[in-house]
Amino acid sequence: MIRMTLVMAALAMPLTATGSGGAVVLPDWLAGRWCGVDGPRGQTCETWQQAAGGTMLGTSQTVKGGTTVAFEFLRIAIEGDTAVYLPQPGGKPPVAFRAVPGGEGVTFVNAAHDYPQRIHYRVAGDVLTAEISLADGSKAMRWTFNRVR
């Protein structure tokens, strides 16, 4: 019961809340290795490091038939008074998505980007859900990952 209470408290914390020192809070609950079920698109795993120096670093890799078919470098960094998600699919230059308040988990938006415009992460226990969509939530694609111990 205590663990569930802590998980629920972490989900309720907005990303841009200020801690006791007035600093922006990064989503440390995202830290760890998360893998989806191997399916027709292959198996995708995301790995996130604990926040350090105002930044969280991560990677994503999709393997299908023993071959890497997609990869992405990921970063969440504090810029001013908010957190910014900076994905680099295929190692391309980063595109910035700014954190927006509200809801469960954390949501990043860049309405000027073609697709995706919205990236959302949510954790419930040992399950991570990642969703990309247009800014209004349409054309959504969702991945479900399990924590790898």
Side-chain angles (χ1 to χ4, degrees), residues 37-38 53 61 74 80 92 95-96 99 105 112 116 128 130 135 139 146 149:
V37 176
D38 194 1
Q61 179 181 23
L74 308 165
K92 294 179 183 172
V95 176
L128 171 68
K139 298 189 179 179
N146 296 301
R149 303 249 178 229

Side-chain angles (χ1 to χ4, degrees), residues 75-87:
R75 180 169 34 125
I76 301 172
I78 295 174
E79 290 185 7
D81 63 352
T82 192
V84 179
Y85 183 83
L86 298 147

Side-chain angles (χ1 to χ4, degrees), residues 41-99:
R41 293 187 292 186
Q43 182 182 42
T44 301
C45 294
E46 282 196 11
T47 304
W48 285 93
Q49 295 178 6
Q50 289 287 331
T55 303
M56 289 183 74
L57 298 175
T59 59
S60 175
Q61 179 181 23
T62 301
V63 175
K64 182 176 180 180
T67 302
T68 296
V69 295
F71 71 94
E72 192 168 10
F73 300 118
L74 308 165
R75 180 169 34 125
I76 301 172
I78 295 174
E79 290 185 7
D81 63 352
T82 192
V84 179
Y85 183 83
L86 298 147
Q88 294 181 255
K92 294 179 183 172
V95 176
F97 294 80
R98 297 186 64 80

Side-chain angles (χ1 to χ4, degrees), residues 8 18 32 34 47 56 61 74 80-83 117 119 140 142 148:
M8 296 308 289
T18 55
W34 306 88
T47 304
M56 289 183 74
Q61 179 181 23
L74 308 165
D81 63 352
T82 192
Q117 296 176 333
I119 301 167
R142 183 174 294 126
V148 177

